[in-house]
């Protein structure tokens, strides 16, 4: 709480118990935060223990932030006979800063000789703050800190859970005698992906973008996929779909995907079985899309057979929430990190992903010889498609409205509201061409800023899918380099960000959903079809390279049939292409766009 919005003000104070009784609304209503902090204190005297920001909060992360690091009085780099770092006794303690070289995922540890009662606070961050110190409180709700109180008998201290960090700050406090530190750092703890795929081309920026996406995927792969190693490290359906396609392109290892899909069955059990909505109603549908992608890629239908009844129940529950106009209302959706409406409405993007989900269920039913379900779900998909185009298409604007709320059109046109209908088979050719015209204009300036953009990396995954699908390769490459370029140039070993910038307190600089350019560079520039936004026959290798800005490219993509190496180069009016693919597998080479206009010279070593 603060009487000022200035986060550096000495008037800021926090509480560490006892907390406010949130059921007593009178206490909350009596506060006017615009008044002075003294008045606020008087109102809360019997409820909170106020804590000025220059005092300890009995919380490792806050304590570390609120203690000013004295950079004018560094310790001398003294070592003992065993070459251990010696930390002297100091009234205010000593801070040690470590740079790990790149963002890592692992458990923090420190080894040495510590007298009884020494406090070791370990804080961590992805970025440095304006003072050149680890940005421990980039987001104020994150407890990015750990505390150990030592015993003289114990030489090593280590966190139980892994965390993501590039920078570590270790504060040594209340040591009665000098301590010696022999080791400090992180024990790397990630899923053991084996990198099989690779990519390089004539554009070094695209090379760095490909590497940044792959590096970030590894940081977000533990015992399940996660969104980011730095923040909550949660398994989110919206994040896992881009992670899935990167995984297949670079490793071909679908075991973690299968496990994560199993976890989702528990997470969304209430919504699937009894229709109880969760915070993001489209997320269970995204797990359905992911399962379909993994099934098409692996040609393994065992998970579909196992989970079919769950998703059938889920879709039937959604269909019970039809309104009079045949659109489906949802209590909450996510859709995108913009200011798009999320509550109590029939949002266009949600309708579109429901259409796609119904069609997927119909295809699964056909595969399982359940022809009654196939007919039923196909019929429902067609009805919903018609309702979307009848109620939510604005022919004058050439795009879809965001949705309907309280029986009234939401008179806004977020890009996601038109991208998803095009990608998920709602828009016909005429509407698609108008949406594409709109996108070409809107993408010229997306207004960079945390969560105020017209589009963010999250929905850009679906944007790239339709741009490549429609042959708008130049626009896709321009957008990719313009908005992923700063990420790729941010550090020596870059990662991809949650937002298109990392300023402020909102975004992380290592976020899984933003790595999808890695997939598109493999599947489009190298041209090996892996599915998702295109039909896939796992028994046929289709090599369809397309690029408007690259002059040569080479690399390996993990196709369902095995490793496929592709190398192509423009030489005059010729496209010299070489590939190496698994034997006894049919290969089709079919360049697209600019490359299709060149004379193909094929040298097959397969």
């Amino acid at each position: 709480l603060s009487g000022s919005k200035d986060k550096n003000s000495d008037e800021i104070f926090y509480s560490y118990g006892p907390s406010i009784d949130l059921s007593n609304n009178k206490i909350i209503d009596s506060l006017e935060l615009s008044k002075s902090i003294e008045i606020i204190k008087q109102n809360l005297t019997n409820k909170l223990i106020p804590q000025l920001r220059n005092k300890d909060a009995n919380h490792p992360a806050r304590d570390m932030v609120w203690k000013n690091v004295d950079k004018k009085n560094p310790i001398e780099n003294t070592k003992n006979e065993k070459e251990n770092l010696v930390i002297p006794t100091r009234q205010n303690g000593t801070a040690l800063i470590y740079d790990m070289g790149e963002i890592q995922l692992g458990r923090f540890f420190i080894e040495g000789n510590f007298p009884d009662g020494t406090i070791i606070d370990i804080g961590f961050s992805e970025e440095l703050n304006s003072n050149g110190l680890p940005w421990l409180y980039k987001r104020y709700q994150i407890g990015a800190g750990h505390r150990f109180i030592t015993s003289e008998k114990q030489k090593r201290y280590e966190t139980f859970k892994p965390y993501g960090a590039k920078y570590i700050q270790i504060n040594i406090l209340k040591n009665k005698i000098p301590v010696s530190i022999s080791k400090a750092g992180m024990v790397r703890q990630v899923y053991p992906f084996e990198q099989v795929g690779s990519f390089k081309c004539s554009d070094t920026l695209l090379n760095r973008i490909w590497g940044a996406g792959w590096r970030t995927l590894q940081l977000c792969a533990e015992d399940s996929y996660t969104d980011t190693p730095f923040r909550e490290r949660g398994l989110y359906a919206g994040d896992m779909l881009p992670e899935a396609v990167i995984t297949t392109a670079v490793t071909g290892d679908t075991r973690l995907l299968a496990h994560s899909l199993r976890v989702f069955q528990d997470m969304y059990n209430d919504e699937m079985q009894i229709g109880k909505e969760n915070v993001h109603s489209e997320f269970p549908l995204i797990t359905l899309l992911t399962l379909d992608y993994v099934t098409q890629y692996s040609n393994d239908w065992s998970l579909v057979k196992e989970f079919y009844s769950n998703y059938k129940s889920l879709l039937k529950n959604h269909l019970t929430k039809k309104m009079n106009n045949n659109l489906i209302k949802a209590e909450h959706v996510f859709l995108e990190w913009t200011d798009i409406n999320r509550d109590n409405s029939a949002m266009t993007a949600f309708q579109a992903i429901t259409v796609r989900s119904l069609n997927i269920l119909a295809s699964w039913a056909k595969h399982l010889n359940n022809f009654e379900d196939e007919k039923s779900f196909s019929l429902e998909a067609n009805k919903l498609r018609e309702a979307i185009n009848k109620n939510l298409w604005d022919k004058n604007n050439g795009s879809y409205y965001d949705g309907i709320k309280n029986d009234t059109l939401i008179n806004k046109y977020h890009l996601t509201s038109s991208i998803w209908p095009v990608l998920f088979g709602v828009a016909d050719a005429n509407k698609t061409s108008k949406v594409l015209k709109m996108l070409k204009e809107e993408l010229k300036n997306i207004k960079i800023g945390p969560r105020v953009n017209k589009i963010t990396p999250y929905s850009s995954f679906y944007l790239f899918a339709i741009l490549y699908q429609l042959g708008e390769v130049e626009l896709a490459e321009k957008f990719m380099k313009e908005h992923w370029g700063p990420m790729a140039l941010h550090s020596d070993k870059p990662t991809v960000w949650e937002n298109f910038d990392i300023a402020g307190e909102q975004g992380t600089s290592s976020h899984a959903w933003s790595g999808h350019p890695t997939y598109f560079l493999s599947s489009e520039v190298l041209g090996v079809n892996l599915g998702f936004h295109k039909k896939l026959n796992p028994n046929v290798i289709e090599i369809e390279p397309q690029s408007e800005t690259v002059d040569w490219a080479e690399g390996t993509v993990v196709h369902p049939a095995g490793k496929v190496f592709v190398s192509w180069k423009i030489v005059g009016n010729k496209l010299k292409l070489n590939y190496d693919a698994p034997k006894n597998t049919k290969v089709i080479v079919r360049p697209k766009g600019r490359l299709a206009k060149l004379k193909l010279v094929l040298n097959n070593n397969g």
Side-chain angles (χ1 to χ4, degrees), residues 536-551:
L536 174 67
N537 182 343
N539 300 314
V540 177
I541 296 172
E542 295 177 286
I543 302 175
E544 302 174 317
Q546 55 178 336
S547 175
E548 296 298 311
T549 62
V550 171
D551 295 326

Side-chain angles (χ1 to χ4, degrees), residues 338-364:
T338 59
D339 61 353
I340 193 169
N341 176 73
R342 292 185 170 85
D343 299 321
N344 300 315
S345 57
M347 298 301 290
T348 305
F350 178 71
Q351 313 305 306
I353 196 172
T354 305
V355 169
R356 178 61 181 146
S357 299
L358 288 165
N359 281 323
I360 289 174
L361 256 293
S363 69
W364 290 357

Side-chain angles (χ1 to χ4, degrees), residues 64 95-100 104 106-109 121-128 133-136 164-171 184-187:
M64 296 180 81
L96 305 174
I97 310 297
Y98 293 88
D99 183 343
M100 303 303 294
Q104 306 278 356
R107 304 185 308 278
F108 303 111
F109 74 91
D121 282 347
I122 301 178
F124 55 96
S125 72
E126 300 176 305
E127 304 289 336
L128 297 176
L133 298 171
W135 198 353
L136 302 179
K166 182 179 180 182
Y167 302 100
I168 305 173
Q169 181 173 326
I170 301 179
N171 283 8
M186 298 174 71
V187 180

